[in-house]
Every structure is written in C-alpha cells, then in structure tokens.
Amino acid sequence: ETGVTQSPTHLIKTRGQQVTLRCSSQSGHNTVSWYQQALGQGPQFIFQYYREEENGRGNFPPRFSGLQFPNYSSELNVNALELDDSALYLCASSSLAGATGANVLTFGAGSRLTVL
Amino acid sequence: AQTVTQSQPEMSVQEAETVTLSCTYDTSESDYYLFWYKQPPSRQMILVIRQEAYKQQNATENRFSVNFQKAAKSFSLKISDSQLGDAAMYFCAYRSTVTGANSKLTFGKGITLSVRP
C-alpha cells in the first residue's frame, strides 16, 4: 500500500503571495488533516477534512483553507503569506473520522515553505 | 485546553544502553490517548507507541515501553538497547476522545535524541 505523499517538498514564496500544498492520502484512508510545524517546535493542528468537508479546525486564521477531493486527496491553501508562515507543513491521513478509537495517523514527509 | 510539555530539549545515550524521555500533560478529561512519535531527518512522523488512558497496563512495542502515570499526568518513553537508528526527534502527543476532530493531536515541543556509537 502506498503511504502519504506531499508536494512540493520545498518552496519559496514572498510575503503577500498565495501557496497551494498538495497531499495524497494513504490507500484506504478517508480523512486528511494538516499540521504546521515551525522550526524547533511540535506540529500544530490546522484542520481536518472528512467527506470533502472541514470538520475540525485549530487556532488558525481563515486565510488558511483547504479542500478534499472525492479520491480523498487534499490541498492546503494559504493566502496573504506572512513571514511567520515559514514552516514545515505536514499532511496526515487516517480512516476513522468521528470514531472514538485510537485513530492512528499516517504522516507524509511534509512541504517546507519559506516566506521571504 | 490540553497541553503537552517536554522539558528536556536534548538527550544523549550510548548505543545499547537505555534512555528515558519525559513527558507531562495537562487535561481535565478522564479518557484520552497518548502517543510517542519519532521524526527522523527525513521529516516523516512515525508512530512509536500509543497508550489508552483507560488501560492501566503500560504499552510495550519491542524495545519501546512507556511509564504511564495517570494521576501524575506523566507519560515517559523508555528505549532499551538503543540503536543508531533511534537518533531522531521524539514528540509526545495527546488526543482527546471527545472531540469530533479525531485527527487533532496536541504535540509537545519535542526532544532531540542522539545515540553515541
């Protein structure tokens, strides 16, 4: 089975620009979540998508938005980039949205965004 | 809101020796899950071990085991017979059982583990 793949692996943007990051979920998984990991910090939950709808969000402003497609792949869009948006963006997929079990996440290797 | 604290930024262990990584957390919930994740230089988060709060027995996965002290809200990871491949950042994480967003993990800041040959 294939794991979680993310693209691009690295990218550089300037302040005020917009960026789209992509994620292909693991086969059999129907839920995708996104995390932001600043340098030297632990990942922070941005949001989760299930059945093409956002059904959980962390403390991030509306300029962070996402999409989930019928094949369960996902995009993270960030508008009006700020310097503090420089981070590693991790995508994770899982198969038990809404369940109370120990929903194990499978992470991708991330997209490293640098905002100049 | 839940918080996870990893107060040791770095640790070092001799190959084949045992090392314990510390983690404390704060929550008002009685049922939840705790995890240890490993992040090597390849950046991909890898699940090491998980613990369900309602289970008193400490989880074990081969050379990895935890010491879960629910009353003290402590969740430490013990790595036995350390190997060079264990060198990585280790993150402690918490997941609520009551939230609808069951992909929401709350992570600590992580600890960098180095293994000396």
Side-chain angles (χ1 to χ4, degrees):
Chain A
E1 73 187 5
T2 58
V4 176
T5 57
Q6 293 187 241
S7 63
T9 54
H10 296 84
L11 70 167
I12 299 173
K13 293 284 188 178
T14 56
R15 196 169 46 182
Q17 284 188 313
Q18 178 265 343
V19 67
T20 297
L21 307 178
R22 295 177 176 82
C23 171
S24 294
S25 59
Q26 180 169 305
S27 176
H29 286 181
N30 57 12
T31 303
V32 174
S33 51
W34 287 90
Y35 286 80
Q36 180 195 66
Q37 185 178 12
L39 195 62
Q41 302 294 316
Q44 285 196 297
F45 176 75
I46 303 175
F47 44 53
Q48 168 182 299
Y49 275 81
Y50 172 64
R51 290 185 175 176
E52 303 176 45
E53 290 190 359
E54 182 185 302
N55 74 338
R57 189 177 185 93
N59 188 26
F60 281 83
R63 60 188 186 83
F64 285 78
S65 63
L67 286 173
Q68 186 182 31
F69 300 100
N71 66 353
Y72 306 124
S73 65
S74 176
E75 287 182 355
L76 166 65
N77 299 289
V78 186
N79 294 322
L81 284 168
E82 301 177 359
L83 297 179
D84 285 348
D85 295 334
S86 295
L88 178 68
Y89 288 85
L90 296 168
C91 172
S93 71
S94 56
S95 61
L96 292 173
T100 56
N103 188 22
V104 176
L105 306 186
T106 301
F107 283 86
S111 294
R112 172 80 65 192
L113 171 64
T114 301
V115 182
L116 303 176
Chain B
Q2 297 83 23
T3 58
V4 176
T5 301
Q6 294 178 256
S7 56
Q8 308 154 304
E10 296 179 358
M11 286 199 75
S12 180
V13 63
Q14 190 75 35
E15 194 176 5
E17 297 293 311
T18 296
V19 64
T20 298
L21 310 183
S22 302
C23 171
T24 58
Y25 59 94
D26 189 28
T27 184
S28 58
E29 299 173 343
S30 59
D31 197 16
Y32 45 86
Y33 296 97
L34 295 166
F35 305 84
W36 277 97
Y37 277 89
K38 170 185 177 181
Q39 188 177 41
S42 65
R43 309 184 316 198
Q44 187 168 15
M45 286 279 191
I46 301 165
L47 177 66
V48 175
I49 199 165
R50 68 185 181 200
Q51 174 80 41
E52 291 129 332
Y54 65 86
K55 290 186 176 180
Q56 293 187 339
Q57 186 173 6
N58 289 324
T60 300
E61 288 285 344
N62 301 314
R63 296 184 296 108
F64 299 89
S65 62
V66 299
N67 184 3
F68 173 49
Q69 301 289 328
K70 190 173 183 179
K73 296 179 182 174
S74 170
F75 183 60
S76 60
L77 174 69
K78 185 172 81 172
I79 305 174
S80 304
D81 185 26
S82 296
Q83 301 175 359
L84 295 177
D86 294 334
M89 279 206 75
Y90 286 81
F91 292 94
C92 178
Y94 172 103
R95 184 174 88 73
S96 171
T97 60
V98 299
T99 180
N102 66 350
S103 296
K104 181 181 179 182
L105 298 176
T106 300
F107 286 88
K109 284 189 174 183
I111 177 170
T112 300
L113 177 67
S114 58
V115 181
R116 305 185 302 275

